[in-house]
Every structure is written in structure tokens, then in C-alpha cells.
Amino acid sequence: MLGFLLAFGTAISEALKDVTSKHNLHHIDEYTAAFSMHLVQSLLLIPVVWYVGMEAMSPRFLWALLASSLLQLGVILLYFKAIKRSEISVTLPLITLTPLFMLITSPIMIGEFPSFLGLLGILTIVIGTYISNMSEDPKKIFAPFVSLVKNQGSRYMLLVAFIWSITANIDKIGVEETSPVFWAFSKDFVILFYLIPILWRKSNNPGLQIRNRKWPLLMVGFFKTTSVLAQMFAIQLILVPYVISIKRSSAVFIILYAFLFLNERKNIRNRIIGIIVIMIGLYIIAIS
């Protein structure tokens, strides 16, 4: 049950991070947003790592760190591009497809496969996601797939979902080799250094952008930190596909927020039905 609660805490933190990021991206570019998020997270975790102590770094850990940091660098830039270019209630639910991809990547990479009930829960969440993106016109039942062709933000987010199905398994390796806190810090600290030359070349006056949005950017980094820590502790307790399935339920909160505060009310009936189906999927995973 603790693993489930930690994974659900990850979902709430992810939703808060996504909503705050969407507001920030009206004022700053995606490169500054990515850099500042990892900067805040690193600064918040430094005293924690100092307190718990450094961990021994095995060759397996270093290979996992290299692979994860490079993949995550590409993902975070695609992610910010996606939510900047499209409605968050359309693009963000696509990341709930990550658990579906993990039914392939997890058995291959770490030998984990859900039970029958767990598999049913994951598939239920995926179906809920599809419904939430469906047009209310019954003739447009394949509209979510069509949006992947026409909507650049949707294509970016689908790619993000697939890459995250790989990096989530690498996280399991990193946590097994060290600890949840040290792995979370190491991965994002390395990504921070990768972002420096990208920020230098791509961003226009990032220092000014950060100063003008310092408090909202601080909140994004804080929510990112709580999300990562909750996820790393959760994957020690329950299967990685379960953690990621629950984490992706953040789409529920995103859709509700978009409806209430951003006036994104297109296809709201299907999105509400999708939310209900997603919640059923979460319940099935919880009892599995």
C-alpha cells in the first residue's frame, strides 16, 4: 500500500509541475524552463545527499547514469516543446501510454511483468486515455490517431511516452545500485550540465527570463523534486509498470484543471468518461 501511495503522490506532483510549466512557457522558452527545473531540483537535493552520504558508484550504475541522462535530456526538451505548442488537455494524456510500452520494455530490460489484474489495470488506463482524446462525433472514433498526424505536440508527447518506458526501467537499475535519493540527484545533476551549452546557444537572455519568473520556476523545480523522490522510493516497493501507470494518472488532474481554469472544454464529455475509466484502472492496480 505504501508503494501505491507514493506512486499516487508522484501523480499529484506531476500534475502540479505540468500546470505550472504551462503557465511559465507563456513567458519563457523551453530551454530556460528545462534548465531552471533541473537547477532547482539539484539545489534542493544537494543537502539531502550530503546528509545521507555519497554512494559507491559501480560500473553498472555509471552505464545506467549515462544512458538515462542522455535519453532524459532529449525527452525533457521534447516534453516542453509539446506542452508549449498544444493544449495540455490534448497532449499530456498521451503520456499515459507509457505503461503500455512498458509491457514490452520492462520484461526485456528488468524481467518485470504485471499479474493478470495488474495487466488489466494498465490496459484500462490506456483505454481511458484513448476515450479522453476521442471526438464526440462517433464517425471520428480514430480521431486520437489522426491528431498524432496533424498535431506536432501530440507527436512529440507520444515519443516522450515511449522513451519514458525505457528510462523508467533504467531508474530501477539505478536505485538498485545506489539509493532513491542519490540516483535522483545524480541523474538530474548530469542533465543540468548537458543543458548549459544548449541554453547558451538556443535561449535568448536566459538570466533575465529566470529573474522575471523566479518564483514560478522555483515551484516547478519543487514539484519535480517531490515527484522524482516519490517515484524512486515507489519503484523499490512495487513493479515499475504499476508505478508509471499510477504516475500517469496525473492526466486526470490536468484535464480537470484545464476544464476549470483554462477554458479547454472541447470534448469534455469524453474526457470525463475517460477520467472515470482511468480511475477504475487505478483501483484495479491497487487491489492487484
Side-chain angles (χ1 to χ4, degrees):
M1 182 56 70
L2 178 59
F4 180 86
L5 292 175
L6 286 168
F8 195 71
T10 300
I12 295 173
S13 295
E14 279 291 297
L16 292 170
K17 180 204 71 174
D18 291 337
V19 168
T20 313
S21 294
K22 179 67 175 179
H23 285 295
N24 281 336
L25 288 168
H26 290 305
H27 306 279
I28 63 175
D29 60 59
E30 57 267 35
Y31 309 105
T32 302
F35 174 81
S36 60
M37 183 178 71
H38 285 84
L39 175 63
V40 171
Q41 181 177 340
S42 296
L43 292 174
L44 290 175
L45 288 179
I46 283 175
V48 182
V49 172
W50 182 270
Y51 177 77
V52 300
M54 297 286 290
E55 300 277 351
M57 292 179 281
S58 66
R60 188 168 182 249
F61 167 83
L62 292 175
W63 279 113
L65 180 62
L66 177 63
S68 179
S69 58
L70 288 173
L71 287 171
Q72 289 281 16
L73 174 65
V75 162
I76 198 65
L77 295 177
L78 286 171
Y79 164 85
F80 279 121
K81 285 179 180 293
I83 64 175
K84 185 174 184 177
R85 286 163 171 74
S86 302
E87 291 183 358
I88 60 174
S89 57
V90 173
T91 55
L92 285 175
L94 289 171
I95 60 176
T96 58
L97 296 175
T98 296
L100 186 61
F101 294 132
M102 293 187 73
L103 296 179
I104 300 172
T105 60
S106 288
I108 293 173
M109 296 179 67
I110 57 176
E112 288 188 354
F113 195 81
S115 65
F116 173 76
L117 272 180
L119 178 60
L120 180 61
I122 290 172
L123 294 177
T124 302
I125 290 175
V126 171
I127 291 170
T129 302
Y130 182 84
I131 293 172
S132 70
N133 283 279
M134 244 174 32
S135 169
E136 293 186 352
D137 184 349
K139 296 180 180 179
K140 298 182 178 179
I141 191 171
F142 296 109
F145 294 116
V146 173
S147 74
L148 292 173
V149 176
K150 296 182 177 180
N151 189 314
Q152 188 180 52
S154 294
R155 292 196 298 273
Y156 283 154
M157 201 60 81
L158 185 66
L159 183 56
V160 166
F162 176 72
I163 297 175
W164 268 340
S165 75
I166 297 172
T167 59
N169 294 310
I170 299 175
D171 285 339
K172 179 81 169 187
I173 297 171
V175 167
E176 289 176 343
E177 290 295 311
T178 52
S179 68
V181 173
F182 189 73
W183 171 252
F185 169 75
S186 301
K187 179 180 64 173
D188 286 282
F189 190 68
V190 170
I191 294 172
L192 178 66
F193 278 92
Y194 291 161
L195 285 168
I196 292 175
I198 297 174
L199 186 73
W200 182 266
R201 290 181 60 87
K202 295 287 189 178
S203 183
N204 181 25
N205 201 345
L208 179 62
Q209 293 185 60
I210 292 173
R211 284 196 298 273
N212 289 339
R213 301 290 298 174
K214 55 182 178 294
W215 293 115
L217 290 171
L218 179 63
M219 295 306 297
V220 171
F222 173 78
F223 292 135
K224 171 67 173 175
T225 304
T226 57
S227 171
V228 168
L229 288 178
Q231 177 181 334
M232 297 310 157
F233 280 103
I235 62 177
Q236 287 189 311
L237 302 173
I238 58 178
L239 295 184
V240 179
Y242 293 168
V243 175
I244 301 304
S245 296
I246 297 167
K247 177 181 179 179
R248 295 304 165 224
S249 70
S250 62
V252 171
F253 304 107
I254 292 295
I255 291 171
L256 291 175
Y257 179 86
F259 173 75
L260 294 172
F261 300 106
L262 301 183
N263 203 33
E264 295 182 9
R265 301 187 177 185
K266 185 179 179 181
N267 297 336
I268 191 61
R269 183 183 66 180
N270 283 344
R271 287 175 182 173
I272 291 174
I273 294 172
I275 287 173
I276 294 171
V277 175
I278 289 170
M279 296 304 291
I280 293 172
L282 291 173
Y283 175 76
I284 294 173
I285 289 176
I287 64 174
S288 70

